[in-house]
Amino acid sequence: MRRRAPKHRVVVVGAGIGGIAAALRLAAAGCSVLVLEASDAPGGKLRQVRAGGRMFDAGPTVLTMKWVFDDLLKDCGTCLDDELALEKADLLARHYWRDGACLDLHADPGRNVEAIRAFAGDREAEGFQRFAADSRRVFDLLKTTFIDATRPNPVSLSWRIGMTKPGALFALKPFSTLWSVLGDYFSDPRLKQLFARYATYCGSSPYLAPATLMLVAHVEQTGVWIPKDGMHALARRLVDLAAGLGVEIRYAARVETIVTAAGGTRVAGVSLSGGETVPAEQVVFNGDVAALAQLLGRPERPRRGGNPAQRSQSALVVCAPARPQGVPLAHHTVFFSDAYEAEFDAVFERRAPPDDPTVYVCAQDRTGGGVAGPAAATAERIYCLMNLPADGDRHDYSESELDRCLTAMDRRLAANGLVLRRNRQAQVLSAPDLFDRLYPATGGALYGRASHGWMASFNRPGARAALQGLYLAGGSVHPGPGVPMAALSGKIAADCLLADLASTGRFRPAATAGGMRTRPATADSSR
């Protein structure tokens, strides 16, 4: 009986969302996939911490673009709704300003128009309608030409959109900042603050980020989901599905070096901190690209953490049991600073904690409706975040400095109507120095490069690295940061790898029908 050849093996470094997505795609195509993860759990930035005896999501808390995961899971014959208990939020987010002025954004666009009309008047409601239409147009223009595509350059993007459609290209407003363009729609500074905040979703300043980021408004309008068991459950479920396809995942397996061959021109495998070498002709690296120089034995280029001036922001994240008093919280609630521009000046220019930070609060026990939750006398799981500079490789945050940041956060919450009685003995703090240790060579930057300037999106690396056989995934590469974007980066990396293998004739990806593999890997897959 003829012995069946082994499948083509690929090593994935990192079990973040990008790495898991790549592993799923590759395994469904017939590859043998080994995922090496340095920590003891999957998810990367979708991490959990234990505070007061309860588990908290301590990373991203917003799930959008569900279609990304539905498309990915077609290869497994399933969809996200069948794998994860999800609630679609009716109330997208609640927003507070000084003295408790409040505006809710809803999943229903009509309700948003009326809410803004009641909050700021007819002119602002009309401006919101124009803004919503334009943000949708930007998203529609970029969805297939940029977001869900291999990294273009400005010329190729223009061709994809259509050189004969100058109006469409003009609609992207690439040479204007988000903050300046918002003045075309809103005169109320509070509304400019609210919609400018979308720049922070990629770790950037709205005063420097391009206006194309207005597309985030449409992304949220099309759906925000709350996983019943938390965001970390998404990573866990994707890992389970990958294991069902035969993916091997090893935890506590820290990769120290990407091994090269042929005079340093192509990948030969990876070496682990314990001394083991794992051979592989293809490696998907799901980590921040700032770490690549050290992994490739080139620590001098670029220097550790890259250029600090190009880093996205970091954060102070506080997870603690707490009893909120005052204004009611939604699952997602934002408390805006009185000094918005000074906040970003502190983070990106002075490289210092802002004196008056905007504070994001995630009440993790509350539902999509926003007001249901534990009784007032019961401590609930509260996550708070303020923006900080990505200086964790150069600066250790002392207990006194963290206390000053917590005081600034509490002062802002109180000014906007919330008193948060936090259990300080049980709280868990994550600051830029911890994030730098968790995500090496980043300085704690949580989003790769900042999206500042019209070329920012084109400056992110694509899936194919210069080193033959090395592919890149994660929030620091195209198409950018965020949970669904990281998943797309993994899918794109896997597709590039499979296309390159197919072009050599050494491997033929398994065909699929209804998401299920219809033929086994052939003898051609042995190399």
Side-chain angles (χ1 to χ4, degrees), residues 323-495:
R323 293 182 174 89
Q325 296 178 353
V327 295
L329 292 174
H331 186 82
H332 303 294
T333 310
V334 182
F335 294 81
F336 280 108
S337 164
D338 289 342
Y340 208 48
E341 187 169 7
E343 177 180 354
F344 291 99
D345 180 71
V347 171
F348 288 104
E349 299 299 328
R350 294 193 291 110
R351 304 285 168 179
D355 296 325
D356 182 14
T358 294
V359 182
Y360 164 69
V361 175
C362 180
Q364 297 188 5
D365 294 313
R366 298 182 180 238
T367 68
V371 294
T378 304
E380 54 183 294
R381 292 180 302 158
I382 298 294
Y383 162 118
C384 296
L385 179 149
M386 65 175 280
N387 298 324
L388 287 179
D391 60 354
D393 55 344
R394 294 166 169 79
H395 179 69
D396 291 327
Y397 280 75
S398 66
E399 184 175 345
S400 61
E401 187 170 13
L402 292 173
D403 280 342
R404 288 194 295 273
C405 290
L406 290 172
T407 298
M409 292 173 71
D410 289 341
R411 186 169 56 239
R412 170 45 48 198
L413 294 175
N416 292 15
L418 180 73
V419 175
L420 201 56
R421 302 197 181 282
R422 192 184 304 111
N423 183 343
R424 293 211 171 203
Q425 283 68 48
Q427 70 187 8
V428 175
L429 308 182
S430 303
D433 49 353
L434 172 63
F435 289 129
D436 181 63
R437 292 193 294 273
L438 291 173
Y439 317 118
T442 65
L446 296 174
Y447 312 86
R449 291 173 62 115
S451 295
H452 292 164
W454 75 275
M455 278 293 291
S457 296
F458 302 108
N459 287 332
R460 290 183 181 274
R464 290 182 174 92
L467 184 67
Q468 185 181 351
L470 179 61
Y471 300 84
L472 308 177
S476 67
V477 304
H478 175 79
V483 176
M485 302 291 254
L488 281 175
S489 76
K491 185 204 81 167
I492 293 169
D495 288 349

Side-chain angles (χ1 to χ4, degrees), residues 9-359:
R9 190 188 208 192
V10 178
V11 167
V12 176
V13 179
I17 289 296
I20 300 169
L24 277 167
R25 192 83 164 181
L26 292 167
C31 291
S32 173
V33 183
L34 170 64
V35 179
L36 300 171
E37 168 57 46
S39 72
D40 58 0
K45 294 185 176 71
L46 279 181
R47 54 193 281 265
Q48 284 186 312
V49 298
R50 182 179 293 275
R54 302 179 68 189
M55 298 306 295
F56 288 68
D57 280 328
T61 59
V62 179
L63 179 61
T64 59
M65 295 171 65
K66 188 167 74 71
W67 58 268
V68 170
F69 298 96
D70 289 334
D71 286 352
L72 179 68
L73 294 182
K74 284 180 183 178
D75 289 339
C76 307
T78 187
C79 65
L80 195 59
D81 282 315
D82 289 343
E83 300 300 329
L84 207 62
L86 296 171
E87 177 184 4
K88 188 173 183 181
D90 295 322
L91 174 56
L92 303 182
R94 178 163 289 166
H95 309 85
Y96 286 109
W97 290 264
R98 178 171 290 276
D99 298 326
C102 179
L103 176 62
D104 289 346
L105 288 186
H106 304 273
D108 180 354
R111 290 185 69 184
N112 289 333
V113 173
E114 293 310 311
I116 291 173
R117 191 186 313 279
F119 180 76
D122 291 342
R123 180 179 175 183
E124 303 302 282
E126 185 274 332
F128 171 75
Q129 289 176 298
R130 290 188 291 108
F131 174 75
D134 287 351
S135 66
R136 176 173 185 167
R137 187 181 185 193
V138 171
F139 178 81
D140 288 345
L141 284 170
L142 293 178
K143 180 182 177 183
T144 58
T145 60
F146 185 86
I147 295 172
D148 191 12
T150 54
R151 184 178 69 95
N153 57 45
V155 174
S156 63
L157 178 62
S158 298
W159 279 108
R160 289 176 186 179
I161 292 175
M163 291 296 288
T164 60
K165 301 176 182 177
L169 294 171
F170 180 75
L172 298 178
K173 304 177 182 179
F175 304 114
S176 301
T177 66
L178 179 59
W179 183 263
S180 66
V181 163
L182 287 172
D184 296 339
Y185 304 98
F186 307 108
S187 58
D188 191 313
R190 297 171 299 178
L191 294 178
K192 290 183 69 176
Q193 264 188 316
L194 192 161
F195 294 108
R197 185 173 175 272
Y198 291 135
T200 67
Y201 284 33
C202 58
S204 303
S205 165
Y207 300 92
L208 299 171
T212 48
L213 290 178
M214 65 194 294
L215 65 83
V216 178
H218 178 69
V219 167
E220 285 204 340
Q221 195 67 69
T222 56
V224 172
W225 283 265
I226 301 172
K228 179 182 177 182
D229 296 318
M231 289 289 288
H232 184 71
L234 172 64
R236 290 283 187 185
R237 188 64 196 129
L238 294 180
V239 160
D240 289 345
L241 290 168
L245 288 176
V247 174
E248 179 187 354
I249 302 176
R250 290 173 56 184
Y251 297 106
R254 180 175 295 279
V255 172
E256 293 285 352
T257 307
I258 296 174
V259 180
T260 61
T265 62
R266 64 176 176 84
V267 164
V270 299
S271 63
L272 307 184
S273 56
E276 177 186 359
T277 296
V278 180
E281 294 183 15
Q282 283 79 31
V283 171
V284 177
F285 176 68
N286 176 217
D288 198 289
V289 293
L292 275 178
Q294 185 171 350
L295 290 174
L296 291 169
R298 305 165 189 165
E300 75 287 350
R301 187 171 54 88
R303 60 181 174 152
R304 184 179 176 221
N307 184 348
Q310 296 176 345
R311 292 175 181 168
S312 61
Q313 65 197 16
S314 189
L316 172 62
V317 174
V318 187
C319 294
R323 293 182 174 89
Q325 296 178 353
V327 295
L329 292 174
H331 186 82
H332 303 294
T333 310
V334 182
F335 294 81
F336 280 108
S337 164
D338 289 342
Y340 208 48
E341 187 169 7
E343 177 180 354
F344 291 99
D345 180 71
V347 171
F348 288 104
E349 299 299 328
R350 294 193 291 110
R351 304 285 168 179
D355 296 325
D356 182 14
T358 294
V359 182

